[in-house]
Amino acid sequence: MGCRLTCVSFLLLFVGTFTQESRSAKSGSSVRSNPAVFHIEDNYEWSTWFNVDHPGGRGDYEKLEAIRFYYRARVCDSPWAVEARTTEWIPARSTGERVHADPAVGFWCINAEQPAGKNCSNYAVRFLCPIVKQPETHGVWGPWSDWSLCPAQCGQVAVQVRSRSCRTQSRQCEGATVENRQCKGPACPGCELRCVMGKVNAECTACLCQDHTVLGSVRSAGGLPAPGAAILLSGPIPRLLTLTDHNGHFRVPGICPDGNTTLTVKLQNHAPHRVTMPPSSEHTTVFHVKLERAKKLYMLKNPESKARREGQTAAFCCKVAGTSEPDQYQWFHNGSLLEKSRYHYDDTLVLRNLHQNQAGEYYCRASSDNGAIKSKPATLTVLGQNESSCNPKPESHLIRLPHDCYQHQTNSSYYDVGRCPVGICTGQLDNGIRCKDSTSFCCGVSRMEERQIACQGYQLPTMVVTQCGCKKCVETKATVRGRAIAADTGEPMRFGHIYMDGVRVSRTGYKGTFSIQVPPETERLVLTFVDNMQKFVNTTKVLVFNNKGGAVYHEIKLLRKKPPVTIRSIETNKLELGEVEGEEPMAEIEIPPNAFYKQNGEVFVGNVQASITFLDPRDVSTAAAAQSDLNFVDTEGDTLPLRTYGMFSVDFRDEEGGESLNAGEVKVRMDAAQVMMPEHLETMKLWSLNPETGLWEEEGQFHAEKKQRGKREERTFLIGNMEIRERRLFNLDVPENRRCYVKVRAFRSERFIPSEQVQGVVMTLINMEPTPGYSSNPRAWGRFDSVITGPDGACLPAFCDDQKADAYSAHVMANLGGEELEAVASAPKLNPNTVGVLQPYLSKLNYRRTDHDDPRMKKTAFSINVAKPSPNTAEELNGPIYPFEKLKECEEAPFSAPHFRFSRVEGDRYDYNTVPFNEDDPMSWTEDYLSWWPKPMEYRACYIKVKINSPHEINIRSRNMGGTHPRTVGQLYGLRDTRSIRDMDQSMVSAVCLEFKCSGMLYDQDRVDRTLVKVIPQGSCRRDSVNSMLQEYLVNHLPLAVNNDTNEFTMLAPLDPLGHNYGIYTVTDQDPRMAKEIALGRCFDGTSDGTSRVMKSSEGVALTFTCGDKEVTGQNVFQQVQGSPGRVAAGRPGRGNRRQRGDASAGLRTSRRRSTRDPNKRLKTTGLSSKQ
């Protein structure tokens, strides 16, 4: 035992390993290493790395007992040593933390023993174990043969080989049959170089022409002179010839213009440039070289998550771009580096003969002399041979029934139709090794049953999911839509250009609208909006999109260019940054004399039109106009956030010719008094935006300099130098590492039940600076982030603090297709159950909706203190705030875990589909003849416009049944209930855009079905007229539906997209919500190509009804269900009827304004007839 203790203690001294002598650390004494030397012999080996605990709670406990529980076969019974490192690969001895280790017990770190305000790091451990020798099962090798003759020629290197054979016939030998080694050829008798012109130099490396000289100039990216650029003679070993002077000029004598000699020009942060000497008989050759900025490594393609069974093969790939190819790839499994000698990977990692302990997260890291980049993690799921890849039992999914289908057995207006979980599965895979599987498989519906629901006087059919299985994933396409408008007035950027990767991909319309289909395999959508009219600053945005398919709406806010001022190029010019009233400027730019250059590198002399637009974070309204997403990539390849102290865009032009000008050494002087956090003075840097990647790249450092202002006042400024070249957008930023995640969910209504969660909502979080009294800027915003909601909501990154709860605050908003969702109210009474976070944590977070202090404010956002959860407080460990390292826990948190909530402003509209379909999840689509949407990714929305002559708003139903298809005739597709919208100019007129099931092919694409549509107004109504063009179309396209009942209208829906002249509005899109939004906008406007949020009741009408004027004194059942759905399965208490965002007691509304996403919201209704 004595040898065992002293032998392994050497490891502690050199690699941070703990031996059994470390047991004294339990009592608090420091661990000392024994200087005795220990050599690891062949009969010992290290285990893999283990990480079974996290530093939450009391600390990080990597106990041997727990490790054996999870990885029983991977740790020996009596380890000889233990080694610990953090998950950032820092040895335990280098962290400065108090830790404990014992090979027989494990490793542990206790938070209470660390300095105040500091917790333990997250550690991983491994153990040194004796190798268990196996009985002899392999054959015996014969002797090696002699080495083969070296085939290398003079001065070259080649390979020799030797071989051996297995002597044992009954057992297979283990090891290589052939070995190889390098060998050198004989020395060359003399220089073999032959020169076309000139003579060979003394080193026999190049040809020398003494009567020829190369003259040249080198300009950096943007055209400025490049002093200090290296001019090298290319070859196996490049040789430095000279450096450029202060003007970027160089002179190299003796280079032969033979058409073969190549020079290489290198400059820091620029891509190398090679020039081949052209054949010439002249005595002088002149070169002008313009360098390009070196492109940092950028991840083009991340590895994809996969599901496999034991014994199968999985391949992960990462695709990286940059000026130079990566010279090293590394792959990590659950944070641990995989051995390259074992897996033989490069940009592709292949895992063969999979077993279950290989499941987990994988990511790659690529590096070169130009930086590093890490991919996003991909998840590998490994299932047993007989294990089901999808849970065959459906999850619960409640749908709301029509008002007259209340279920007395369950005391509920909801019915559980089931749904299949979202996720990938194994499916039937071929044996090919591919980065992307040729066919993707997802969990989906494999069996449904029809049920009949008892309603008042009729049976309502519905399809219920009874079994889930592994199916081919539905192919999806992602789209981004939106408007580009001025941040101050909302003026649209008309006919502007939109660029992606330097290529124009689209234009904005007259109203600033745009639509772009996201290219397949896009990881990060970076778009630059360029205004041809030069009103707005060129704006680069990183837009989030739904990689599951569908459309996401974005509103792009643009800053106006500041009017230019005229400055003289031969003078020193100072331009201030920051225009917040009553505040000192944040910074200033100082341009020395003769610092302007033309694009060809010539010094410009004359008057300059200088426009500098500064985005001042002290003005909170500017946050939406900020460029990119404020991220950068550090030297390790991690994508990290920045916190801004201001962005500025520069535009320098020749006053006469209008040519764009560059500027040389420009000084940026920032007022240190504006930086309230002392640690930020040390880390403040200048950054420029890469418009292709949307990432910020470092331009320069700052240093402190004191300056006298007046007789007594001395102020400190941060001084930085930069060049203004091809990039024109800059940033004053600091990296920030105090980060958390905030869990937020969106819902279709204020019922807040799981089945009514909405996906595809753009959640935006703006980080506000700390409140007064804390050591930071109390006025400004520091950062913003946007995330798309999925089936489990969204996790928004935010700055947080674990010392002071109100150190950082956040402003959170939600937007769906241009519609702002409402946050839960915080006044006059705060209901923690409705907010989604219980006390006392909710009070600590100080939740406030935007109308908390002023009811006239919008209700579409909330603010909180981003208090980092305390590991010692149980109620703070499950959300809604999560530490940055617990993103996975945040994303996978159950619905019961605390979260913040938004809801759509519920209108008087009800949709029922016989075959349930979640518009947020394409995999919920089912191959059924009664599906409302017969073909996924080709969603066709149809609306009919109905005018109502009545003093009241009227509920109208469309009943949609199979009409001409033999498999569906007489069967129900679904119901739509919508309330009319009053005309603001005519008190006796209202109108409604009513959805109906489009005619067309059913899912089998075999034959069409003309949907039988009944339009049924409520109460006592009479059909006055039918659009003459619609009536003519229906007569000419038989069969013609019977229309004997004047209280309703029946038609076999047209197959053609007719348009506003018929009062029919049809739109096809890849996203069902977007198809309906566009069709509704056209229907409201009464045109076939326009859009409106105001109902134009006399334009583009198909039907006109006159309804009785009997005043309604109470709500019907339909209204009561919408207003108080309290008797649902979840048992939520009822709530009051909500009809609008403002005062609920405002009486009968007369405004026609309506969101096209929710066009049917009204305050007062009448009863719905019993007609079905």
Side-chain angles (χ1 to χ4, degrees), residues 468-488:
C468 301
C470 195
K471 318 281 286 185
K472 287 185 179 180
C473 298
V474 176
E475 293 186 6
T476 60
K477 294 180 180 179
T479 303
V480 292
R481 304 178 188 269
R483 296 177 65 218
I485 58 175
D488 51 359

Side-chain angles (χ1 to χ4, degrees), residues 443-620:
C443 294
V445 176
S446 62
R447 185 182 303 165
M448 300 185 78
E449 291 181 1
E450 182 177 347
R451 306 274 175 83
Q452 295 291 330
I453 301 175
C455 299
Q456 296 179 12
Y458 67 100
Q459 295 288 315
L460 181 71
T462 189
M463 301 298 291
V464 176
V465 179
T466 58
Q467 184 174 335
C468 301
C470 195
K471 318 281 286 185
K472 287 185 179 180
C473 298
V474 176
E475 293 186 6
T476 60
K477 294 180 180 179
T479 303
V480 292
R481 304 178 188 269
R483 296 177 65 218
I485 58 175
D488 51 359
T489 64
E491 176 189 354
M493 183 180 77
R494 296 188 171 99
F495 311 116
H497 295 302
I498 304 176
Y499 290 86
M500 179 165 49
D501 294 330
V503 178
R504 193 179 76 180
V505 294
S506 186
R507 298 184 68 179
T508 60
Y510 179 77
K511 295 183 179 180
T513 56
F514 65 90
S515 177
I516 296 174
Q517 185 168 307
V518 181
E521 300 187 356
T522 298
E523 299 288 346
R524 182 177 165 89
L525 183 62
V526 183
L527 300 178
T528 299
F529 295 79
V530 178
D531 179 24
N532 291 330
M533 307 300 293
Q534 297 293 315
K535 290 182 180 179
F536 305 110
V537 173
N538 292 352
T539 300
T540 298
K541 288 284 189 179
V542 180
L543 300 184
V544 292
F545 61 93
N546 192 346
N547 52 18
K548 293 183 179 179
V552 175
Y553 182 90
H554 292 276
E555 203 157 75
I556 310 300
K557 299 294 182 69
L558 308 171
L559 285 179
R560 292 185 185 275
K561 282 188 175 181
K562 291 295 182 184
V565 296
T566 301
I567 59 177
R568 299 183 64 189
S569 65
I570 59 175
E571 297 177 349
T572 299
N573 295 279
K574 296 182 179 180
L575 303 171
E576 292 183 343
L577 304 177
E579 298 179 354
V580 175
E581 187 175 353
E583 298 284 349
E584 292 281 342
M586 289 285 294
E588 68 176 12
I589 295 178
E590 181 179 312
I591 307 171
N594 303 313
F596 290 102
Y597 291 83
K598 298 181 180 179
Q599 294 299 319
N600 62 7
E602 296 179 7
V603 176
F604 173 79
V605 178
N607 289 341
V608 177
Q609 290 282 295
S611 172
I612 298 184
T613 305
F614 185 68
L615 187 145
D616 197 327
R618 296 174 297 182
D619 180 358
V620 177

Side-chain angles (χ1 to χ4, degrees), residues 219-221 269-273 290-295 323 726:
R219 289 181 288 141
S220 63
N269 297 326
H270 287 72
H273 186 89
K290 183 179 179 182
L291 301 176
E292 297 294 332
R293 185 188 291 262
K295 294 182 179 179
T323 296
E726 84 285 9

Side-chain angles (χ1 to χ4, degrees), residues 427-458:
Q428 299 297 320
L429 299 172
D430 55 28
N431 294 323
I433 299 175
R434 300 182 179 90
C435 300
K436 181 179 178 63
D437 292 337
S438 56
T439 303
S440 298
F441 292 89
C442 300
C443 294
V445 176
S446 62
R447 185 182 303 165
M448 300 185 78
E449 291 181 1
E450 182 177 347
R451 306 274 175 83
Q452 295 291 330
I453 301 175
C455 299
Q456 296 179 12
Y458 67 100

Side-chain angles (χ1 to χ4, degrees), residues 9 42 179 229 359 473 519 593 652 692 752 828 927 1026 1072:
S9 61
D42 293 338
E179 277 189 352
C473 298
F652 298 137
E692 294 184 8
F752 301 126
E927 292 182 348
V1026 179

Side-chain angles (χ1 to χ4, degrees), residues 53 147 1038:
D53 194 20
W147 289 104
L1038 300 177

Side-chain angles (χ1 to χ4, degrees), residues 12 40 42 46 54 79 118 227 253 269 346 377 412 426 670 684 705 752-753 773 801 904 1041 1059 1087 1141 1166:
L12 175 62
I40 300 177
D42 293 338
W46 284 105
H54 294 276
K118 181 176 176 60
N269 297 326
D346 44 22
S412 172
T426 55
M670 183 176 183
M684 185 75 65
E705 182 179 288
F752 301 126
I753 60 177
D801 191 85
R904 300 191 69 178
T1087 62
R1141 302 186 186 198
T1166 56

Side-chain angles (χ1 to χ4, degrees), residues 11 38-46 128:
L11 293 170
F38 171 65
H39 301 282
I40 300 177
E41 302 295 342
D42 293 338
N43 56 342
Y44 293 95
E45 66 178 359
W46 284 105
L128 186 66

